[in-house]
Amino acid sequence: MSKAPNPARRSESSRRAILAATGDLCSEAGYGRLTIEAIAARAGVSKKTIYRWWPSKGAVVLELLGETATIATAPPDTGDLAADLHTMLTEIVDMLTPPRNSAGTGVISEALHDPDLARDLRERLIQPGIDAFKQRLRRAQETGRLHPDADLDVALDLLYGPIYHRMALHLGMPDPDYLRTLITHVLRALTPPAPH
Amino acid sequence: MSKAPNPARRSESSRRAILAATGDLCSEAGYGRLTIEAIAARAGVSKKTIYRWWPSKGAVVLELLGETATIATAPPDTGDLAADLHTMLTEIVDMLTPPRNSAGTGVISEALHDPDLARDLRERLIQPGIDAFKQRLRRAQETGRLHPDADLDVALDLLYGPIYHRMALHLGMPDPDYLRTLITHVLRALTPPAPH
């Protein structure tokens, strides 16, 4: 994390209290009204303690999101690519769908203006899943199940992008059927025509 | 526009001065530091005048963006679908690429928390292009050039989405080659295999 000092110096119980307070305040009043003051008061720590470990409220919220996101630590891998993509995208959609989206949407909104936060968001929450699925797509490409000229970076953007587009324009977040159709279309874009 | 009173009452010269001041201030100091006070001072009008016509600074900036966006008024239509998609996506990318992206990124960031602004953003700037291209994709589907089961709403999300995904995570905005690859992949997802 940017500007984060040695995490070994953190007290784990204070860290837990800070994250719990952040989650409660986000649910109660929304990301927009969240302040470091309010987190400190609720968690029973000083503002200085919070700023010693995190550079901004966005960074605290991001750590909270990372705690519960399995995509960040263990992207799904059952061997069924389409099903695993569905699991991964569902987790991201859940994080960005009202009424539980205050933290996720707040961090994305702030990251648009804060390159450090955007880098942390990418590295801690999104990139592990992207890397894991890119590796699986590459293996499928090497064994001929995907087009040799399929662009795997574009492929990942095609999978994630619609979620951000629908979120940005309030077009209604994807439901399970939408995600299945999305994945079918993207895999079709990557798959060579059946031999004949 | 939400809460906008009769536009006929607007003075066109004041409107132009307000939009010009907004553009200058956005370029100079960025969307984040833009205030209605500053716009009023620079344009030589009262704050009241601005609030009579627009509900928020986001709405003023959105009108400014709409003034120059051909996608909002005349989506490209040369008959070459891939080329026209490239023209349209290039215009959106330009609006969101540093260093000229302050207004566009600012409005999107604010719209994440402001459903009224998001609706205006959609209706005034993005939806005309989406509607025009959806109609063209539907015609192509009716004449058999696209899969009968291609989902055209998903198709438009696939075209726009990667831009928002790359913007949200600061992954580097698409260049012309990227957009060509993107469009090729999406059209491949929509196109039936060659007959044999």
Side-chain angles (χ1 to χ4, degrees):
Chain A
M1 172 175 311
S2 51
K3 293 187 235 159
N6 182 1
R9 288 178 55 221
R10 292 181 181 185
S11 140
E12 180 60 18
S13 64
S14 296
R15 193 183 77 91
R16 293 254 151 240
I18 290 164
L19 294 183
T22 302
D24 290 348
L25 290 165
C26 251
S27 306
E28 288 165 23
Y31 182 93
R33 294 202 176 150
L34 186 68
T35 61
I36 295 286
E37 269 98 340
I39 298 172
R42 178 76 65 106
V45 303
S46 71
K47 280 171 58 180
K48 213 178 131 195
T49 297
I50 297 177
Y51 279 122
R52 200 182 307 140
W53 296 335
W54 293 280
S56 66
K57 77 169 185 176
V60 185
V61 173
L62 184 58
E63 181 151 339
L64 174 66
L65 289 171
E67 291 277 299
T68 49
T70 60
I71 46 161
T73 49
D77 188 357
T78 65
D80 180 337
L81 179 62
D84 291 339
L85 287 169
H86 199 276
T87 304
M88 174 187 70
L89 296 179
T90 298
E91 188 171 315
I92 294 169
V93 167
D94 284 349
M95 213 179 276
L96 300 174
T97 300
R100 296 179 316 286
N101 66 324
S102 182
T105 307
V107 166
I108 287 179
S109 173
E110 198 147 321
L112 286 172
H113 307 291
D114 181 343
D116 286 341
L117 184 63
R119 195 194 54 230
D120 287 350
L121 169 64
R122 207 166 61 225
E123 290 178 358
R124 298 168 62 103
L125 208 55
I126 304 297
Q127 203 64 43
I130 287 182
D131 290 344
F133 281 99
K134 197 172 159 190
Q135 216 167 35
R136 288 177 68 180
L137 292 176
R138 190 178 298 120
R139 284 202 303 269
Q141 196 172 35
E142 285 163 1
T143 58
R145 283 187 294 129
L146 299 187
H147 256 297
D149 69 346
D151 185 309
L152 303 187
D153 290 312
V154 169
L156 269 303
D157 288 344
L158 288 171
L159 289 164
Y160 283 80
I163 299 173
Y164 292 90
H165 180 231
R166 300 193 71 80
M167 172 184 67
L169 298 180
H170 294 234
L171 290 167
M173 291 304 279
D175 63 14
D177 279 348
Y178 177 99
L179 289 180
R180 257 185 292 277
T181 305
L182 169 66
I183 291 163
T184 303
H185 280 60
V186 175
L187 291 179
R188 192 191 278 162
L190 306 179
T191 308
H196 50 89
Chain B
M1 174 177 309
S2 51
K3 293 186 236 161
N6 182 1
R9 287 177 54 221
R10 291 181 180 185
S11 140
E12 181 60 16
S13 66
S14 296
R15 193 183 76 91
R16 292 254 152 241
I18 291 164
L19 295 183
T22 302
D24 291 347
L25 290 165
C26 252
S27 305
E28 289 165 22
Y31 182 93
R33 294 202 176 151
L34 187 69
T35 61
I36 295 287
E37 270 98 338
I39 298 172
R42 177 76 65 106
V45 303
S46 70
K47 280 171 60 179
K48 213 178 131 191
T49 298
I50 298 177
Y51 279 121
R52 199 183 305 138
W53 296 335
W54 293 280
S56 66
K57 76 169 185 177
V60 185
V61 173
L62 185 58
E63 180 150 339
L64 173 67
L65 289 172
E67 292 277 300
T68 49
T70 59
I71 45 162
T73 49
D77 188 357
T78 65
D80 179 336
L81 179 61
D84 291 341
L85 286 170
H86 199 276
T87 304
M88 174 187 70
L89 295 180
T90 298
E91 189 172 313
I92 295 169
V93 166
D94 284 349
M95 213 179 276
L96 300 174
T97 300
R100 297 179 315 287
N101 66 324
S102 183
T105 307
V107 166
I108 287 180
S109 173
E110 197 147 320
L112 286 171
H113 307 290
D114 180 343
D116 286 341
L117 184 63
R119 194 193 55 229
D120 287 351
L121 169 65
R122 208 167 59 226
E123 291 178 359
R124 298 169 63 103
L125 207 56
I126 304 297
Q127 202 65 43
I130 288 183
D131 290 345
F133 281 97
K134 197 173 159 188
Q135 217 166 33
R136 288 177 68 181
L137 292 177
R138 190 180 295 119
R139 284 204 303 271
Q141 195 172 37
E142 284 163 2
T143 58
R145 283 187 296 129
L146 299 186
H147 256 298
D149 68 347
D151 185 309
L152 303 188
D153 289 312
V154 168
L156 269 303
D157 288 344
L158 288 172
L159 289 164
Y160 284 80
I163 299 172
Y164 293 91
H165 179 231
R166 300 194 71 80
M167 172 184 68
L169 298 181
H170 294 233
L171 290 168
M173 291 304 278
D175 63 15
D177 279 347
Y178 177 99
L179 289 180
R180 258 186 292 277
T181 305
L182 169 67
I183 291 163
T184 302
H185 279 60
V186 175
L187 291 180
R188 190 190 281 162
L190 307 178
T191 308
H196 52 90

